[in-house]
Amino acid sequence: MFSPCWSRLSCVALSSRGRLRTLSLFSSSGSSNWSKVVSDAEKIVGYPTSFMSLRCLLSDELSNVAMHLRKLVGTQHPLLNTARGFVYDSKNNLQMRGLVVLLLSKAAGPSHAASDLLAQDMVSGIYPSQRNLAEITELVHTAFLVHRGIVNLKEWTDSDGPLKDMQFGNKMAVLSGDFLLANACTGLAQLNNTKVVELISSAIGDLVQGVYYENSHNTEENGLTDGIDVAAWEEQTFLSHGALLAKSCQAAMELAKHDKESQRLAYKYGKHLSLGHKLNSDLQPFMKSRVGEPLSFSLSAAPVVFHRQIMGRETWHHQLQQAKTLRNQLDYSKLLAAVKSEKGVSTAMDLCCYHGNKALEAIQAFPSSEARSALENIASAVTKF
């Protein structure tokens, strides 16, 4: 069997301008309510976060990776921050995709059509194949986080660390990510379900397309142009942040042989939950920025995209120029003030609530249970700011 690796990554990468940017796609917003929701949900499915992280840390393969990572100590390579996240990231709950897959599996229960699936094989109301799927989902997600931590060496500076160490770190990021993906593909084949293989394979393709599309727009130079509109933002965000969860939720229903309607609703829940959470994450700098804290946000963050569309190209171009410093760098505090002064933030909040409500709507068709209540709490939590 493949090596399960449910990581608690706090993956950070260097942007093209040298700033640090968080790559965690399901990180906690810092709310104690969010942590409680996740903790309660983990008890329902029987797999606590710390246990899964421990299993991963004790694997021989990752022990070898950790030994090589010592060479990166003292540098700014993001792979080092990723490794630290395995041990020290106690506040974030990044294995949310796997947790949601397990909760949906438990909420839906066994199917009447699953006559060849033995009920006695279920643990906490979840089939072994569904647990394997949850682990595969997290492996794929983790692999992409590691791959996205590769540094653009054309932007390398002495402050990042020795060039040879940065090059070594990039090689480790590529090989580690490939290793995780290979394990995921091995586990996927062992599920012996061609439709599930097709779903997860297409989700991996969506991730690649979404990240490429995201990187092509997530630059200051593109901020000076028309950029992307709201429809394009939602499409891009679904590919890079929502497709894996949505299709994994659908695959979990397929493994238990639930009908197409159940699969559709599970897909819908995963899709809207992902979009709602991404909107919530994008809103955080605009909702909780404090004086003295380092400020940075993406020019393709939802509030910025909506603000740009509301204001029009000329006004947006003028605001960007006004936010430039003498060194021709963006003063993010000025830009944040400009975005907060209009309706971009409120539009993003409304859209976040919309997706949270759509996720809640999708889950109502499942039988009332602890697992369904946990899924409802998670969907509600992403609308809290």
Side-chain angles (χ1 to χ4, degrees):
M1 189 58 184
F2 65 99
S3 303
C5 177
W6 282 44
S7 63
R8 293 175 166 197
L9 297 181
S10 179
C11 186
V12 180
L14 292 173
S15 72
S16 60
R17 295 295 174 189
R19 297 186 309 274
L20 289 177
R21 60 184 177 92
T22 302
L23 292 183
S24 57
L25 303 186
F26 250 111
S27 62
S28 168
S29 63
S31 167
S32 59
N33 177 61
W34 175 259
S35 297
K36 185 179 186 304
V37 166
V38 172
S39 177
D40 291 343
E42 288 174 340
K43 294 174 184 176
I44 292 172
V45 297
Y47 268 25
T49 298
S50 56
F51 175 71
M52 299 310 298
S53 297
L54 182 62
R55 280 212 297 169
C56 186
L57 285 170
L58 293 178
S59 69
D60 292 337
E61 295 88 350
L62 285 187
S63 295
N64 290 331
V65 171
M67 188 168 60
H68 287 295
L69 282 179
R70 290 184 298 178
K71 297 180 181 179
L72 299 180
V73 173
T75 73
Q76 294 296 315
H77 200 285
L79 188 58
L80 192 60
N81 293 292
T82 301
R84 290 193 188 105
F86 277 105
V87 183
Y88 299 117
D89 189 22
S90 60
K91 294 182 179 179
N92 290 336
N93 303 283
L94 302 183
Q95 61 278 37
M96 283 299 303
R97 287 162 180 77
L99 179 59
V100 169
V101 169
L102 293 177
L103 286 170
L104 265 172
S105 300
K106 186 175 178 67
S111 168
H112 297 297
S115 56
D116 57 333
L117 297 177
L118 300 178
Q120 57 264 35
D121 290 338
M122 301 178 79
V123 178
S124 296
I126 303 167
Y127 289 112
S129 60
Q130 292 173 319
R131 290 193 182 276
N132 291 339
L133 172 66
E135 295 176 350
I136 290 166
T137 300
E138 284 305 327
L139 280 171
V140 172
H141 172 57
T142 301
F144 272 83
L145 287 182
V146 172
H147 277 158
R148 292 183 69 184
I150 297 173
V151 173
N152 181 2
L153 294 177
K154 292 181 180 179
E155 305 290 340
W156 168 81
T157 63
D158 290 335
S159 62
D160 295 330
L163 179 59
K164 65 176 183 178
D165 288 343
M166 302 301 282
Q167 291 172 331
F168 176 78
N170 278 359
K171 291 177 182 178
M172 289 296 296
V174 171
L175 293 174
S176 299
D178 287 351
F179 168 77
L180 293 173
L181 272 178
N183 273 266
C185 292
T186 300
L188 195 59
Q190 291 173 347
L191 292 177
N192 293 319
N193 188 305
T194 53
K195 183 174 181 180
V196 171
V197 171
E198 181 182 346
L199 282 169
I200 304 303
S201 299
S202 65
I204 293 174
D206 291 339
L207 271 169
V208 174
Q209 182 181 349
V211 171
Y212 176 81
Y213 188 66
E214 181 180 277
N215 289 340
S216 67
H217 290 89
N218 192 21
T219 64
E220 185 177 318
E221 288 77 11
N222 281 323
L224 291 168
T225 65
D226 287 331
I228 59 175
D229 58 18
V230 176
W233 180 90
E234 280 201 299
E235 178 184 356
Q236 168 201 300
T237 301
F238 172 72
L239 291 173
S240 59
H241 293 79
L244 179 60
L245 178 59
K247 293 183 178 181
S248 294
C249 290
Q250 180 181 350
M253 299 299 100
E254 165 64 23
L255 286 172
K257 299 189 177 180
H258 285 287
D259 57 26
K260 291 184 178 180
E261 178 62 13
S262 296
Q263 294 184 32
R264 184 188 70 81
L265 291 171
Y267 177 93
K268 181 180 177 182
Y269 178 85
K271 172 185 176 180
H272 289 291
L273 180 68
S274 300
L275 290 174
H277 197 285
K278 182 59 169 65
L279 283 157
N280 186 297
S281 298
D282 282 0
L283 279 162
Q284 292 307 309
F286 302 88
M287 305 295 293
K288 298 182 178 180
S289 57
R290 299 174 183 173
V291 178
E293 286 187 351
L295 181 63
S296 180
F297 51 85
S298 170
L299 293 180
S300 62
V304 181
V305 171
F306 300 161
H307 172 78
R308 181 170 52 208
Q309 189 173 53
I310 291 168
M311 301 308 295
R313 179 181 181 181
E314 290 187 8
T315 302
W316 170 243
H317 184 277
H318 177 71
Q319 288 177 340
L320 277 175
Q321 294 301 322
Q322 290 288 100
K324 290 287 185 68
T325 65
L326 293 176
R327 295 184 179 181
N328 203 36
Q329 295 179 337
L330 277 178
D331 182 340
Y332 280 86
S333 60
K334 290 183 179 179
L335 199 58
L336 179 136
V339 174
K340 290 176 71 174
S341 67
E342 297 297 337
K343 295 182 179 180
V345 173
S346 61
T347 302
M349 291 176 66
D350 291 343
L351 189 58
C352 179
C353 292
Y354 166 79
H355 284 298
N357 289 333
K358 295 296 285 185
L360 285 170
E361 177 185 303
I363 206 64
Q364 296 308 308
F366 292 90
S368 180
S369 64
E370 279 188 322
R372 195 186 85 172
S373 296
L375 290 167
E376 292 170 345
N377 290 338
I378 290 174
S380 298
V382 302
T383 63
K384 301 294 190 297
F385 306 104

